[in-house]
mmCIF file of all heavy atoms in Angstrom:
data_model
loop_
_atom_site.group_PDB
_atom_site.id
_atom_site.type_symbol
_atom_site.label_atom_id
_atom_site.label_comp_id
_atom_site.label_asym_id
_atom_site.label_seq_id
_atom_site.Cartn_x
_atom_site.Cartn_y
_atom_site.Cartn_z
ATOM 1 N N ALA C 228 26.440 8.559 33.259
ATOM 2 C CA ALA C 228 25.760 7.769 32.209
ATOM 3 C C ALA C 228 24.908 8.603 31.316
ATOM 4 O O ALA C 228 24.290 9.586 31.885
ATOM 5 C CB ALA C 228 24.895 6.587 32.784
ATOM 6 N N LEU C 229 25.001 8.449 29.977
ATOM 7 C CA LEU C 229 24.179 9.172 29.162
ATOM 8 C C LEU C 229 23.036 8.269 28.609
ATOM 9 O O LEU C 229 23.338 7.212 28.233
ATOM 10 C CB LEU C 229 25.023 9.827 28.041
ATOM 11 C CG LEU C 229 26.071 10.816 28.336
ATOM 12 C CD1 LEU C 229 26.835 11.126 27.190
ATOM 13 C CD2 LEU C 229 25.562 11.895 29.009
ATOM 14 N N THR C 230 21.904 8.853 28.404
ATOM 15 C CA THR C 230 20.802 8.212 27.748
ATOM 16 C C THR C 230 20.090 9.107 26.780
ATOM 17 O O THR C 230 20.102 10.242 26.915
ATOM 18 C CB THR C 230 19.719 7.569 28.888
ATOM 19 O OG1 THR C 230 19.195 8.784 29.459
ATOM 20 C CG2 THR C 230 20.322 6.650 29.927
ATOM 21 N N ALA C 231 19.419 8.349 25.894
ATOM 22 C CA ALA C 231 18.768 8.998 24.863
ATOM 23 C C ALA C 231 17.360 8.306 24.552
ATOM 24 O O ALA C 231 17.344 7.071 24.703
ATOM 25 C CB ALA C 231 19.418 9.191 23.518
ATOM 26 N N THR C 232 16.391 9.056 24.283
ATOM 27 C CA THR C 232 15.055 8.430 24.003
ATOM 28 C C THR C 232 14.613 9.122 22.746
ATOM 29 O O THR C 232 14.673 10.315 22.555
ATOM 30 C CB THR C 232 14.021 8.808 25.121
ATOM 31 O OG1 THR C 232 14.652 8.349 26.357
ATOM 32 C CG2 THR C 232 12.798 8.106 24.855
ATOM 33 N N THR C 233 14.035 8.280 21.896
ATOM 34 C CA THR C 233 13.430 8.773 20.708
ATOM 35 C C THR C 233 11.903 8.312 20.570
ATOM 36 O O THR C 233 11.567 7.228 21.149
ATOM 37 C CB THR C 233 14.080 8.259 19.501
ATOM 38 O OG1 THR C 233 14.032 6.895 19.384
ATOM 39 C CG2 THR C 233 15.457 8.666 19.339
ATOM 40 N N THR C 234 11.129 9.062 19.996
ATOM 41 C CA THR C 234 9.749 8.762 19.827
ATOM 42 C C THR C 234 9.345 8.958 18.383
ATOM 43 O O THR C 234 9.720 9.950 17.800
ATOM 44 C CB THR C 234 8.846 9.672 20.740
ATOM 45 O OG1 THR C 234 9.293 9.507 22.098
ATOM 46 C CG2 THR C 234 7.354 9.253 20.657
ATOM 47 N N GLU C 235 8.715 7.944 17.839
ATOM 48 C CA GLU C 235 8.132 8.079 16.488
ATOM 49 C C GLU C 235 6.684 8.190 16.541
ATOM 50 O O GLU C 235 5.954 7.354 17.190
ATOM 51 C CB GLU C 235 8.584 7.011 15.610
ATOM 52 C CG GLU C 235 10.115 6.948 15.337
ATOM 53 C CD GLU C 235 10.414 5.753 14.485
ATOM 54 O OE1 GLU C 235 9.668 5.607 13.399
ATOM 55 O OE2 GLU C 235 11.392 4.982 14.707
ATOM 56 N N THR C 236 6.070 9.219 15.898
ATOM 57 C CA THR C 236 4.672 9.339 15.943
ATOM 58 C C THR C 236 4.285 9.371 14.561
ATOM 59 O O THR C 236 4.715 10.037 13.674
ATOM 60 C CB THR C 236 4.265 10.717 16.574
ATOM 61 O OG1 THR C 236 4.861 10.799 17.875
ATOM 62 C CG2 THR C 236 2.761 10.799 16.655
ATOM 63 N N TYR C 237 3.217 8.454 14.215
ATOM 64 C CA TYR C 237 2.629 8.448 12.937
ATOM 65 C C TYR C 237 1.161 8.786 12.971
ATOM 66 O O TYR C 237 0.512 8.450 13.892
ATOM 67 C CB TYR C 237 2.727 6.889 12.500
ATOM 68 C CG TYR C 237 4.114 6.387 12.365
ATOM 69 C CD1 TYR C 237 4.520 5.531 13.232
ATOM 70 C CD2 TYR C 237 5.026 6.789 11.283
ATOM 71 C CE1 TYR C 237 5.975 4.986 13.135
ATOM 72 C CE2 TYR C 237 6.352 6.430 11.272
ATOM 73 C CZ TYR C 237 6.746 5.542 12.229
ATOM 74 O OH TYR C 237 7.943 5.014 12.014
ATOM 75 N N SER C 238 0.669 9.586 12.074
ATOM 76 C CA SER C 238 -0.661 9.993 12.032
ATOM 77 C C SER C 238 -1.519 8.996 11.133
ATOM 78 O O SER C 238 -2.720 9.268 11.010
ATOM 79 C CB SER C 238 -0.781 11.375 11.413
ATOM 80 O OG SER C 238 -0.284 11.449 10.065
ATOM 81 N N TRP C 239 -0.926 8.089 10.482
ATOM 82 C CA TRP C 239 -1.754 7.163 9.609
ATOM 83 C C TRP C 239 -2.069 5.832 10.322
ATOM 84 O O TRP C 239 -1.523 5.502 11.363
ATOM 85 C CB TRP C 239 -0.900 6.818 8.297
ATOM 86 C CG TRP C 239 0.585 6.626 8.559
ATOM 87 C CD1 TRP C 239 1.587 7.505 8.380
ATOM 88 C CD2 TRP C 239 1.111 5.365 8.898
ATOM 89 N NE1 TRP C 239 2.758 6.861 8.696
ATOM 90 C CE2 TRP C 239 2.594 5.540 8.914
ATOM 91 C CE3 TRP C 239 0.666 4.007 9.082
ATOM 92 C CZ2 TRP C 239 3.453 4.585 9.261
ATOM 93 C CZ3 TRP C 239 1.582 3.090 9.448
ATOM 94 C CH2 TRP C 239 2.933 3.318 9.495
ATOM 95 N N THR C 240 -3.122 5.259 9.793
ATOM 96 C CA THR C 240 -3.694 4.023 10.268
ATOM 97 C C THR C 240 -3.645 2.948 9.215
ATOM 98 O O THR C 240 -3.357 3.245 8.072
ATOM 99 C CB THR C 240 -5.132 4.132 10.728
ATOM 100 O OG1 THR C 240 -5.985 4.528 9.629
ATOM 101 C CG2 THR C 240 -5.237 5.329 11.822
ATOM 102 N N GLU C 241 -4.043 1.809 9.563
ATOM 103 C CA GLU C 241 -4.157 0.678 8.613
ATOM 104 C C GLU C 241 -5.222 0.959 7.575
ATOM 105 O O GLU C 241 -5.035 0.658 6.383
ATOM 106 C CB GLU C 241 -4.618 -0.594 9.403
ATOM 107 C CG GLU C 241 -3.576 -1.688 9.133
ATOM 108 C CD GLU C 241 -4.034 -3.038 9.772
ATOM 109 O OE1 GLU C 241 -5.086 -3.536 9.502
ATOM 110 O OE2 GLU C 241 -3.294 -3.513 10.620
ATOM 111 N N THR C 242 -6.184 1.732 7.965
ATOM 112 C CA THR C 242 -7.306 2.154 6.902
ATOM 113 C C THR C 242 -6.535 3.121 5.957
ATOM 114 O O THR C 242 -6.950 3.052 4.705
ATOM 115 C CB THR C 242 -8.451 2.859 7.700
ATOM 116 O OG1 THR C 242 -8.973 1.882 8.646
ATOM 117 C CG2 THR C 242 -9.570 3.209 6.745
ATOM 118 N N ASP C 243 -5.734 3.951 6.386
ATOM 119 C CA ASP C 243 -5.093 4.915 5.445
ATOM 120 C C ASP C 243 -4.258 3.943 4.341
ATOM 121 O O ASP C 243 -4.142 4.326 3.188
ATOM 122 C CB ASP C 243 -4.114 5.805 6.127
ATOM 123 C CG ASP C 243 -4.956 6.706 7.081
ATOM 124 O OD1 ASP C 243 -6.016 7.155 6.705
ATOM 125 O OD2 ASP C 243 -4.414 7.056 8.144
ATOM 126 N N ILE C 244 -3.522 3.048 4.908
ATOM 127 C CA ILE C 244 -2.694 2.149 4.011
ATOM 128 C C ILE C 244 -3.591 1.402 3.082
ATOM 129 O O ILE C 244 -3.285 1.393 1.793
ATOM 130 C CB ILE C 244 -1.879 1.212 4.825
ATOM 131 C CG1 ILE C 244 -0.768 1.928 5.654
ATOM 132 C CG2 ILE C 244 -1.135 0.240 3.915
ATOM 133 C CD1 ILE C 244 -0.083 1.102 6.572
ATOM 134 N N GLU C 245 -4.696 1.020 3.498
ATOM 135 C CA GLU C 245 -5.609 0.184 2.586
ATOM 136 C C GLU C 245 -6.196 1.182 1.522
ATOM 137 O O GLU C 245 -6.334 0.769 0.323
ATOM 138 C CB GLU C 245 -6.982 -0.257 3.443
ATOM 139 C CG GLU C 245 -6.513 -1.485 4.318
ATOM 140 C CD GLU C 245 -7.771 -1.802 5.329
ATOM 141 O OE1 GLU C 245 -8.844 -1.034 5.295
ATOM 142 O OE2 GLU C 245 -7.474 -2.613 6.154
ATOM 143 N N HIS C 246 -6.483 2.330 1.930
ATOM 144 C CA HIS C 246 -6.900 3.395 0.941
ATOM 145 C C HIS C 246 -5.869 3.680 -0.165
ATOM 146 O O HIS C 246 -6.225 3.588 -1.391
ATOM 147 C CB HIS C 246 -7.218 4.697 1.663
ATOM 148 C CG HIS C 246 -7.654 5.815 0.681
ATOM 149 N ND1 HIS C 246 -8.979 6.005 0.303
ATOM 150 C CD2 HIS C 246 -6.966 6.830 0.178
ATOM 151 C CE1 HIS C 246 -9.035 7.064 -0.457
ATOM 152 N NE2 HIS C 246 -7.838 7.628 -0.534
ATOM 153 N N VAL C 247 -4.623 3.846 0.267
ATOM 154 C CA VAL C 247 -3.602 4.017 -0.708
ATOM 155 C C VAL C 247 -3.344 2.791 -1.547
ATOM 156 O O VAL C 247 -3.132 2.824 -2.777
ATOM 157 C CB VAL C 247 -2.270 4.456 -0.029
ATOM 158 C CG1 VAL C 247 -1.029 4.489 -0.909
ATOM 159 C CG2 VAL C 247 -2.393 5.828 0.662
ATOM 160 N N MET C 248 -3.314 1.609 -0.866
ATOM 161 C CA MET C 248 -3.181 0.358 -1.755
ATOM 162 C C MET C 248 -4.243 0.123 -2.612
ATOM 163 O O MET C 248 -3.953 -0.726 -3.656
ATOM 164 C CB MET C 248 -2.882 -0.823 -0.657
ATOM 165 C CG MET C 248 -1.580 -0.574 0.243
ATOM 166 S SD MET C 248 -0.073 -0.332 -0.895
ATOM 167 C CE MET C 248 0.047 -1.775 -1.622
ATOM 168 N N SER C 249 -5.417 0.542 -2.405
ATOM 169 C CA SER C 249 -6.537 0.331 -3.370
ATOM 170 C C SER C 249 -6.125 1.114 -4.815
ATOM 171 O O SER C 249 -6.580 0.625 -5.794
ATOM 172 C CB SER C 249 -7.832 0.906 -2.868
ATOM 173 O OG SER C 249 -7.804 2.381 -2.799
ATOM 174 N N ARG C 250 -5.473 2.093 -4.635
ATOM 175 C CA ARG C 250 -4.978 2.705 -5.942
ATOM 176 C C ARG C 250 -3.847 1.979 -6.578
ATOM 177 O O ARG C 250 -3.783 1.839 -7.800
ATOM 178 C CB ARG C 250 -4.455 4.184 -5.608
ATOM 179 C CG ARG C 250 -5.576 5.157 -5.409
ATOM 180 C CD ARG C 250 -5.472 6.269 -4.433
ATOM 181 N NE ARG C 250 -6.377 7.225 -4.396
ATOM 182 C CZ ARG C 250 -7.664 7.067 -3.977
ATOM 183 N NH1 ARG C 250 -7.996 5.861 -3.471
ATOM 184 N NH2 ARG C 250 -8.553 7.987 -4.014
ATOM 185 N N PHE C 251 -3.000 1.428 -5.778
ATOM 186 C CA PHE C 251 -1.926 0.519 -6.291
ATOM 187 C C PHE C 251 -2.661 -0.696 -6.983
ATOM 188 O O PHE C 251 -2.426 -1.095 -8.141
ATOM 189 C CB PHE C 251 -1.105 -0.024 -5.142
ATOM 190 C CG PHE C 251 -0.176 -1.220 -5.564
ATOM 191 C CD1 PHE C 251 0.994 -0.992 -6.304
ATOM 192 C CD2 PHE C 251 -0.607 -2.489 -5.199
ATOM 193 C CE1 PHE C 251 1.792 -2.134 -6.667
ATOM 194 C CE2 PHE C 251 0.257 -3.485 -5.634
ATOM 195 C CZ PHE C 251 1.442 -3.285 -6.296
ATOM 196 N N HIS C 252 -3.693 -1.221 -6.356
ATOM 197 C CA HIS C 252 -4.357 -2.415 -6.894
ATOM 198 C C HIS C 252 -5.017 -1.985 -8.194
ATOM 199 O O HIS C 252 -4.989 -2.709 -9.243
ATOM 200 C CB HIS C 252 -5.422 -2.862 -5.970
ATOM 201 C CG HIS C 252 -6.052 -4.144 -6.233
ATOM 202 N ND1 HIS C 252 -6.935 -4.821 -5.323
ATOM 203 C CD2 HIS C 252 -5.900 -4.997 -7.265
ATOM 204 C CE1 HIS C 252 -7.320 -6.026 -5.811
ATOM 205 N NE2 HIS C 252 -6.729 -6.138 -6.989
ATOM 206 N N ALA C 253 -5.647 -0.767 -8.274
ATOM 207 C CA ALA C 253 -6.210 -0.402 -9.531
ATOM 208 C C ALA C 253 -5.174 -0.220 -10.593
ATOM 209 O O ALA C 253 -5.526 -0.665 -11.763
ATOM 210 C CB ALA C 253 -6.967 0.954 -9.204
ATOM 211 N N ASP C 254 -4.085 0.381 -10.353
ATOM 212 C CA ASP C 254 -3.028 0.468 -11.363
ATOM 213 C C ASP C 254 -2.667 -0.988 -11.862
ATOM 214 O O ASP C 254 -2.426 -1.235 -12.971
ATOM 215 C CB ASP C 254 -1.785 1.082 -10.707
ATOM 216 C CG ASP C 254 -1.770 2.578 -10.743
ATOM 217 O OD1 ASP C 254 -2.826 3.234 -11.256
ATOM 218 O OD2 ASP C 254 -0.884 3.155 -10.203
ATOM 219 N N LEU C 255 -2.426 -1.851 -10.987
ATOM 220 C CA LEU C 255 -1.968 -3.237 -11.158
ATOM 221 C C LEU C 255 -3.004 -3.855 -12.124
ATOM 222 O O LEU C 255 -2.623 -4.565 -13.102
ATOM 223 C CB LEU C 255 -1.802 -3.902 -9.965
ATOM 224 C CG LEU C 255 -0.796 -5.187 -9.960
ATOM 225 C CD1 LEU C 255 0.583 -4.869 -10.414
ATOM 226 C CD2 LEU C 255 -0.739 -5.837 -8.592
ATOM 227 N N LYS C 256 -4.224 -3.752 -11.917
ATOM 228 C CA LYS C 256 -5.335 -4.314 -12.761
ATOM 229 C C LYS C 256 -5.212 -3.697 -14.165
ATOM 230 O O LYS C 256 -5.394 -4.507 -15.033
ATOM 231 C CB LYS C 256 -6.639 -4.044 -12.149
ATOM 232 C CG LYS C 256 -7.078 -4.924 -11.098
ATOM 233 C CD LYS C 256 -8.510 -4.750 -10.536
ATOM 234 C CE LYS C 256 -8.904 -5.781 -9.626
ATOM 235 N NZ LYS C 256 -10.357 -5.637 -9.279
ATOM 236 N N MET C 257 -5.063 -2.409 -14.235
ATOM 237 C CA MET C 257 -4.906 -1.810 -15.441
ATOM 238 C C MET C 257 -3.688 -2.418 -16.352
ATOM 239 O O MET C 257 -3.865 -2.562 -17.507
ATOM 240 C CB MET C 257 -4.813 -0.267 -15.431
ATOM 241 C CG MET C 257 -5.986 0.432 -15.055
ATOM 242 S SD MET C 257 -5.862 2.210 -15.047
ATOM 243 C CE MET C 257 -6.191 2.567 -13.386
ATOM 244 N N ILE C 258 -2.640 -2.446 -15.595
ATOM 245 C CA ILE C 258 -1.375 -2.986 -16.298
ATOM 246 C C ILE C 258 -1.681 -4.457 -16.709
ATOM 247 O O ILE C 258 -1.336 -4.809 -17.913
ATOM 248 C CB ILE C 258 -0.267 -2.849 -15.357
ATOM 249 C CG1 ILE C 258 0.133 -1.407 -15.122
ATOM 250 C CG2 ILE C 258 0.910 -3.594 -15.911
ATOM 251 C CD1 ILE C 258 1.204 -1.226 -13.965
ATOM 252 N N ALA C 259 -2.229 -5.294 -15.758
ATOM 253 C CA ALA C 259 -2.373 -6.651 -16.228
ATOM 254 C C ALA C 259 -3.452 -6.880 -17.344
ATOM 255 O O ALA C 259 -3.117 -7.684 -18.240
ATOM 256 C CB ALA C 259 -2.800 -7.402 -14.951
ATOM 257 N N GLN C 260 -4.542 -6.093 -17.305
ATOM 258 C CA GLN C 260 -5.490 -6.226 -18.438
ATOM 259 C C GLN C 260 -5.044 -5.745 -19.581
ATOM 260 O O GLN C 260 -5.239 -6.352 -20.834
ATOM 261 C CB GLN C 260 -6.762 -5.501 -17.934
ATOM 262 C CG GLN C 260 -7.586 -6.281 -16.785
ATOM 263 C CD GLN C 260 -8.687 -5.427 -16.306
ATOM 264 O OE1 GLN C 260 -8.894 -4.273 -16.689
ATOM 265 N NE2 GLN C 260 -9.495 -6.142 -15.459
ATOM 266 N N SER C 261 -4.467 -4.474 -19.632
ATOM 267 C CA SER C 261 -3.961 -3.952 -20.821
ATOM 268 C C SER C 261 -2.899 -4.608 -21.641
ATOM 269 O O SER C 261 -2.762 -4.772 -22.803
ATOM 270 C CB SER C 261 -3.588 -2.458 -20.699
ATOM 271 O OG SER C 261 -2.376 -2.380 -19.972
ATOM 272 N N THR C 262 -2.035 -5.298 -20.814
ATOM 273 C CA THR C 262 -0.943 -6.139 -21.408
ATOM 274 C C THR C 262 -1.401 -7.600 -21.658
ATOM 275 O O THR C 262 -0.636 -8.313 -22.498
ATOM 276 C CB THR C 262 0.232 -6.158 -20.430
ATOM 277 O OG1 THR C 262 0.012 -6.700 -19.209
ATOM 278 C CG2 THR C 262 0.845 -4.830 -20.244
ATOM 279 N N GLY C 263 -2.473 -8.018 -21.124
ATOM 280 C CA GLY C 263 -2.997 -9.481 -21.341
ATOM 281 C C GLY C 263 -1.997 -10.410 -20.649
ATOM 282 O O GLY C 263 -1.952 -11.628 -21.158
ATOM 283 N N THR C 264 -1.482 -10.031 -19.626
ATOM 284 C CA THR C 264 -0.481 -11.041 -18.981
ATOM 285 C C THR C 264 -0.925 -11.803 -17.780
ATOM 286 O O THR C 264 -0.861 -12.935 -17.782
ATOM 287 C CB THR C 264 0.770 -10.223 -18.575
ATOM 288 O OG1 THR C 264 0.410 -8.971 -17.708
ATOM 289 C CG2 THR C 264 1.526 -9.700 -19.812
ATOM 290 N N TRP C 265 -1.424 -11.127 -16.840
ATOM 291 C CA TRP C 265 -1.986 -11.790 -15.591
ATOM 292 C C TRP C 265 -3.375 -12.020 -15.578
ATOM 293 O O TRP C 265 -4.150 -11.030 -15.990
ATOM 294 C CB TRP C 265 -1.486 -11.053 -14.262
ATOM 295 C CG TRP C 265 -0.069 -11.050 -13.995
ATOM 296 C CD1 TRP C 265 1.061 -11.586 -14.620
ATOM 297 C CD2 TRP C 265 0.508 -10.217 -12.957
ATOM 298 N NE1 TRP C 265 2.218 -11.357 -14.057
ATOM 299 C CE2 TRP C 265 1.889 -10.461 -12.922
ATOM 300 C CE3 TRP C 265 0.080 -9.285 -11.985
ATOM 301 C CZ2 TRP C 265 2.835 -9.931 -12.106
ATOM 302 C CZ3 TRP C 265 0.937 -8.727 -11.167
ATOM 303 C CH2 TRP C 265 2.191 -9.024 -11.188
ATOM 304 N N SER C 266 -3.801 -13.060 -14.957
ATOM 305 C CA SER C 266 -5.205 -13.266 -14.710
ATOM 306 C C SER C 266 -5.740 -12.408 -13.572
ATOM 307 O O SER C 266 -4.895 -11.736 -12.803
ATOM 308 C CB SER C 266 -5.552 -14.727 -14.233
ATOM 309 O OG SER C 266 -4.980 -14.892 -12.946
ATOM 310 N N GLU C 267 -7.061 -12.147 -13.522
ATOM 311 C CA GLU C 267 -7.527 -11.358 -12.416
ATOM 312 C C GLU C 267 -7.209 -11.877 -11.071
ATOM 313 O O GLU C 267 -6.836 -11.222 -10.148
ATOM 314 C CB GLU C 267 -9.132 -11.165 -12.599
ATOM 315 C CG GLU C 267 -9.691 -10.122 -11.655
ATOM 316 C CD GLU C 267 -11.149 -9.942 -11.898
ATOM 317 O OE1 GLU C 267 -11.648 -10.142 -13.030
ATOM 318 O OE2 GLU C 267 -11.808 -9.311 -11.092
ATOM 319 N N LYS C 268 -7.301 -13.182 -10.968
ATOM 320 C CA LYS C 268 -6.956 -13.825 -9.621
ATOM 321 C C LYS C 268 -5.560 -13.570 -9.318
ATOM 322 O O LYS C 268 -5.206 -13.224 -8.034
ATOM 323 C CB LYS C 268 -7.265 -15.323 -9.623
ATOM 324 C CG LYS C 268 -6.751 -15.933 -8.266
ATOM 325 C CD LYS C 268 -7.310 -17.434 -8.125
ATOM 326 C CE LYS C 268 -6.832 -18.034 -6.833
ATOM 327 N NZ LYS C 268 -6.298 -17.331 -5.823
ATOM 328 N N LEU C 269 -4.600 -13.753 -10.165
ATOM 329 C CA LEU C 269 -3.142 -13.485 -9.891
ATOM 330 C C LEU C 269 -2.869 -11.957 -9.454
ATOM 331 O O LEU C 269 -2.174 -11.719 -8.465
ATOM 332 C CB LEU C 269 -2.265 -13.873 -10.920
ATOM 333 C CG LEU C 269 -0.746 -13.667 -10.851
ATOM 334 C CD1 LEU C 269 -0.275 -14.329 -9.606
ATOM 335 C CD2 LEU C 269 0.042 -13.928 -12.096
#
């Protein structure tokens, strides 16, 4: 019988994702405000 094992290691955390996504959120706000399309809540 042959078996194989794989391991995935990530160095990032949820906090890292939050940090990156804050930049996405800032971009989205700029796009929505400059185009006059979406409300701040949306």
Side-chain angles (χ1 to χ4, degrees):
L229 299 174
T230 61
T232 304
T233 61
T234 303
E235 292 185 46
T236 305
Y237 301 108
S238 61
W239 41 265
T240 65
E241 241 183 55
T242 304
D243 296 321
I244 295 172
E245 289 169 2
H246 177 83
V247 171
M248 293 309 293
S249 71
R250 281 146 173 73
F251 168 80
H252 193 172
D254 277 358
L255 204 57
K256 279 185 175 187
M257 282 183 243
I258 292 168
Q260 288 174 355
S261 65
T262 60
T264 51
W265 288 355
S266 68
E267 187 172 344
K268 177 168 179 9
L269 178 57

